[in-house]
Amino acid sequence: MKIAIIGTGSVATALGTRWSKAGHDVTFGSRQPESEKVLELLEECAPGTKALTPQLSIVGSDVILLAVPWPAAKGMLAVLGDLAGRVLIDCSNPLTADFSGIELGHSTSAAEEIAHWSKGARVVKAFNSASVKVMLNPQFGDYRATMFYCGDDPAAKDLVKRLISDLDFDPADAGPLASARYLEPLAMLYIHLAFKQGWGSNCAFKILKR
Ligand SMILES: NC(=O)c1ccc[n+]([C@@H]2O[C@H](COP(=O)([O-])OP(=O)(O)OC[C@H]3O[C@@H](n4cnc5c(N)ncnc54)[C@H](OP(=O)(O)O)[C@@H]3O)[C@@H](O)[C@H]2O)c1
């Protein structure tokens, strides 16, 4: 699959390196695609992985992962331009500046705001409820960490489900995009456990079914 990843930070690095090594054609969209930091990132990825400006990185891609800080999301979507019909993965958590809570909830979510700003993109929420350490290795003994995803477009969700499985997560369909109102507070619980309760970031959510 041809994947454009907007951003070259922690999440972009974890998912981009792993997807490239799983055989996907990854292009990072960076504000400084020729910086030393980005060149080092490319060295971690499979040969052929590229970095371009955000606008150029999305040309011809099957899917776009927006992996920028929440306060930068709206501006970056404006830079990307027309995304109507494009599959857009939103991994953001709308954290307050001091990380003590989330800015949105109950009646909307970051994912729904992003869908509104991106005017017609087929937005799927995913990858917001695990740490980067878990993104790098979702296997816990015999168990695979759960990765919840949600969205309103069935084909876009199928595509994202495949990308989740390719990283060895156990994908869990949480329903329509409005379910992001539940998935974003779930990330807040994760942050609370990891950093306030001292669990650290080598723990993950696992849902059981029978
Ligand atoms: N870190 C986690 O454990 C984690 C887990 C789940 C979800 N998330 C979510 O994933 C998203 C990305 O998080 P992250 O931890 O990867 O962030 P990060 O390490 O700070 O990286 C964000 C990247 O976004 C790009 N960017 C574009 N516009 C920017 C701006 N105005 N200010 C700063 N960076 C800008 C930068 O790449 P260039 O400089 O190359 O443009 C930067 O490397 C966030 O929404 C976060 O809530 C994070």
Side-chain angles (χ1 to χ4, degrees), residues 6-12 29-32 37-38 67-70 72 76 91-93 95 127-132 135:
I6 309 303
T8 55
S10 310
V11 171
S30 171
R31 295 166 301 168
Q32 292 179 298
K37 175 190 111 167
V38 174
V68 303
W70 164 244
M76 184 54 78
C91 66
S92 70
N93 286 308
L95 301 177
F127 301 111
N128 75 304
S129 58
S131 67
V132 165
M135 291 177 195

Side-chain angles (χ1 to χ4, degrees), residues 1 87 122 124 149 153-165 173:
M1 217 178 288
V87 180
R122 299 148 72 199
V124 179
Y149 64 102
D153 184 293
K157 281 171 74 172
D158 276 353
L159 185 152
V160 175
K161 181 183 180 186
R162 268 185 277 143
L163 289 177
I164 292 171
S165 301
D173 184 350

